Amino acid sequence: MNNKIFTYDHYDTSGVPITSGTIYVKLIRLSDLFIFDWFDNTFKSSGWSNITTTMSNIDTTNLPGKKKVTIDISLLSNGLYELDIPHSTDVVFGGSCIFEVYNGNLLGEVTSNIPSSVWDTVPTAPITNSYGDIVKSKLLTIKKFIGLK
């Protein structure tokens, strides 16, 4: 087992921590766009039992608004993955973490918390596109948002 904790800062548009609400996450394998089924720990194109899992509060008193989800990296084959926090009524800033796994280890990650008004402008790539095009599109959006064009 090789657990990695991924975190997410949950704040409103004024920067006030939000400790209520439910934050759901999806884990997507970018090589084929299969989505992780949290019920049986497998990637599938359909027929999921639990397509999302929830993030939990780390510590509402000392770290209000800080959420986490733990993933066993050893369950993942070599490749790129995206941990996606879809926008919902409970999520002001959606997020995404793209990371790479090699031989059961995390090689690197790029995380973003981007307002839905920006993130929703990212074109949705059809299944026929390569995962590289999807990653490039999302990374370009992150770079523009933080001013790196």
Side-chain angles (χ1 to χ4, degrees):
M1 187 178 277
N2 184 3
N3 287 334
K4 163 68 175 146
I5 296 174
F6 291 89
T7 61
Y8 172 74
D9 296 323
H10 192 207
Y11 297 94
D12 67 16
T13 55
S14 300
V16 176
I18 301 171
T19 57
S20 62
T22 304
I23 307 296
Y24 296 98
V25 295
K26 288 182 182 177
L27 180 59
I28 304 162
R29 184 172 59 203
L30 294 177
S31 62
D32 55 13
L33 300 180
F34 282 23
I35 301 172
F36 193 71
D37 189 331
W38 300 88
F39 176 74
D40 61 6
N41 296 329
T42 60
F43 285 90
K44 301 174 182 175
S45 61
S46 63
W48 307 275
S49 294
N50 294 340
I51 196 169
T52 61
T53 193
T54 57
M55 298 190 94
S56 59
N57 288 306
I58 293 175
D59 182 339
T60 56
T61 303
N62 298 307
L63 295 170
K66 194 78 148 173
K67 307 279 190 179
K68 70 175 181 174
V69 65
T70 303
I71 297 175
D72 182 358
I73 299 297
S74 66
L75 295 173
L76 308 178
S77 57
N78 294 345
L80 291 171
Y81 295 86
E82 179 180 4
L83 187 62
D84 183 51
I85 301 170
H87 298 103
S88 69
T89 54
D90 290 334
V91 177
V92 176
F93 293 89
S96 179
C97 177
I98 297 171
F99 60 95
E100 185 172 6
V101 172
Y102 183 74
N103 288 341
N105 294 299
L106 186 68
L107 290 185
E109 61 185 274
V110 176
T111 304
S112 66
N113 287 359
I114 296 180
S116 58
S117 59
V118 175
W119 195 248
D120 289 344
T121 65
V122 177
T124 304
I127 296 294
T128 55
N129 276 12
S130 72
Y131 67 89
D133 292 339
I134 297 165
V135 172
K136 285 180 206 170
S137 176
K138 290 194 175 197
L139 290 176
L140 179 62
T141 301
I142 293 167
K143 287 169 124 180
K144 284 182 181 177
F145 179 72
I146 61 175
L148 295 178
K149 292 186 183 182

